[in-house]
Amino acid sequence: MLDYLQRAKFFKTKKRLGQNFLINPDVISDIIEFAKINKDDVILEIGPGVGFVTEQLIKHAQKVIAVELDEEAIKELEKLNAPNLEIIHKDILKTELSDLHDGKLKVVANIPYYITTPIIAHLLGEIDDLTNSNRSKITDIILMVQEEVARRIVATENSASKQYGLLTILSQFWADCSILKLVGRKSFYPAPKVNSALVLMKVRKEPLLNLSDYSYFRRVIKAAFSQRRKTLKNCLLSAGFDKNKINDAILKLNLDQNIRGEKLSIEQFGELSKLL
C-alpha cells in the first residue's frame, strides 16, 4: 500500500472532481478477479485517475479504454505507455459508448460519488429507454460506490427504510445487481468520510418487467417516491392520478390503504401501473 500511497500523495488530488484514489493493492486485485477479464475483453474504465487500477487492467485485457476528465491525471496515465491503453480526455456523461468501441465492453469504475446516479442512468438508460445504445454495448459493470449507495442499488421492499427507491428500481430494471465486497475508507487516498462497496451489475438483455407502457410506469414510481413521508395513495393523488383508479388499484392488489411506496416490490409497481 505504501507505494500507492506515496504515488497518490505526489499527485495533487482535486476535491471538486471528487477524487479519492484506491491505494489498497488487495482491493485492486479483487477488482481484477471479480471482473473475470480474459484476453478478448475490452474494458472501459471510467475515472481511472492516476491509473493504479488501470496498470493492472492492461495486463489482463485485450484493450483498456480509459475515460478521464482531469488533464493532470491524464499526464500520469500516459506514463503507463501501454500499447493496449487508449486514453480519452472527456466527461463520461457526454460520451456515447458506441463512439469508443464497436464490440461489447466491460465497465470498471471507481467513480466520484457525487455523480453515481447520473453515471448509472447514463450507462443503463432510464426505465423507459428500451433501446438505449450505451446499455446495448455493456456486459457487466463493476462499480466502486459509497456503501450506502450500494445498499440502495441492491435493496428490496423489505430493506431498511430509505434504502429502497428510484435508484434501486433503475438499477435492477436493467441489471442483476449484487454487492461483491465492502471496502473501508482507509483503502483510499485521500480517505473519504464514508465506507465504500464494490458492486456488480450484470446487464440484462430484457427489462425486468414486461409492460405495455414503460413511460407510464416511470411516472408511477416517480410519484410513489416523491414524498417519502406520505402514503402511496397521497403521493399518487398529488401527482395527478385519478382518485377512483387509485382506490380500485389498491383494493385489487390487496394493499393496505395507508401503505407507502417503499413497501411495494418492483413487480407490484408493474401491476399498479397496469391498473392505473
Side-chain angles (χ1 to χ4, degrees):
M1 197 187 284
L2 216 78
D3 173 43
Y4 285 131
L5 181 61
Q6 293 311 332
R7 286 163 66 194
K9 279 183 171 171
F10 176 72
F11 183 83
K12 198 172 180 319
T13 52
K14 297 171 191 61
K15 214 170 175 177
R16 65 181 170 83
L17 294 177
Q19 285 175 335
N20 299 91
F21 298 134
L22 184 58
I23 55 167
N24 184 332
D26 297 338
V27 178
I28 292 173
S29 60
D30 284 342
I31 289 174
I32 303 302
E33 205 171 300
F34 286 134
K36 296 190 170 72
I37 303 167
N38 64 47
K39 285 285 176 226
D40 301 327
D41 284 335
V42 177
I43 306 290
L44 165 62
E45 190 185 5
I46 300 170
V50 288
F52 298 159
V53 179
T54 321
E55 62 191 22
Q56 300 306 320
L57 290 170
I58 52 181
K59 291 176 188 172
H60 298 84
Q62 180 194 332
K63 184 179 182 185
V64 176
I65 302 167
V67 177
E68 175 58 61
L69 192 57
D70 181 11
E71 286 162 29
E72 285 167 44
I74 284 183
K75 285 180 191 137
E76 291 301 313
L77 289 168
E78 282 167 348
K79 292 176 188 170
L80 290 173
N81 203 3
N84 63 338
L85 174 62
E86 184 183 349
I87 302 164
I88 294 181
H89 181 205
K90 211 168 172 189
D91 179 345
I92 190 63
L93 294 175
K94 298 182 179 134
T95 306
E96 282 300 314
L97 303 196
S98 51
D99 295 342
L100 301 179
H101 179 63
D102 288 339
K104 292 280 190 184
L105 293 161
K106 272 185 181 174
V107 177
V108 174
N110 171 22
I111 51 180
Y113 291 161
Y114 68 97
I115 51 167
T116 303
T117 303
I119 284 180
I120 291 174
H122 183 62
L123 295 177
L124 294 179
E126 289 290 353
I127 280 168
D128 52 355
D129 190 355
L130 297 184
T131 54
N132 185 278
S133 61
N134 285 347
R135 183 178 63 245
S136 66
K137 306 285 295 178
I138 304 169
T139 55
D140 310 302
I141 303 169
I142 288 189
L143 213 52
M144 181 74 78
V145 294
Q146 265 173 293
E147 184 186 342
E148 174 204 333
V149 173
R151 302 256 178 233
R152 282 166 53 201
I153 288 171
V154 302
T156 70
E157 70 278 13
N158 301 317
S159 298
S161 179
K162 296 214 176 19
Q163 286 184 351
Y164 179 69
L166 293 173
L167 178 62
T168 314
I169 298 178
L170 168 67
S171 304
Q172 294 178 23
F173 208 72
W174 289 117
D176 197 12
C177 305
S178 55
I179 293 178
L180 297 169
K181 184 185 176 74
L182 299 179
V183 181
R185 60 193 81 177
K186 288 195 171 72
S187 291
F188 299 88
Y189 178 83
K193 292 189 173 67
V194 292
N195 289 328
S196 301
L198 208 50
V199 174
L200 172 64
M201 305 173 91
K202 292 188 87 58
V203 176
R204 300 175 185 280
K205 291 193 169 55
E206 299 292 329
L208 182 62
L209 303 179
N210 182 8
L211 303 168
S212 57
D213 190 336
Y214 289 86
S215 298
Y216 197 85
F217 174 73
R218 188 178 168 193
R219 236 186 87 200
V220 170
I221 56 168
K222 213 171 163 188
F225 290 105
S226 59
Q227 294 154 302
R228 286 258 178 196
R229 291 214 171 98
K230 283 192 172 181
T231 62
L232 173 66
K233 202 184 204 172
N234 286 337
C235 285
L236 292 170
L237 277 171
S238 305
F241 289 89
D242 180 281
K243 188 179 180 178
N244 296 328
K245 276 191 174 175
I246 296 169
N247 287 332
D248 285 351
I250 286 177
L251 273 174
K252 277 188 183 141
L253 290 172
N254 283 328
L255 299 174
D256 184 315
Q257 290 292 321
N258 296 319
I259 198 166
R260 291 185 177 173
E262 64 204 45
K263 290 295 166 213
L264 268 70
S265 68
I266 302 178
E267 290 72 19
Q268 283 175 309
F269 272 122
E271 292 301 316
L272 176 66
S273 178
K274 280 177 192 168
L275 290 168
L276 290 174

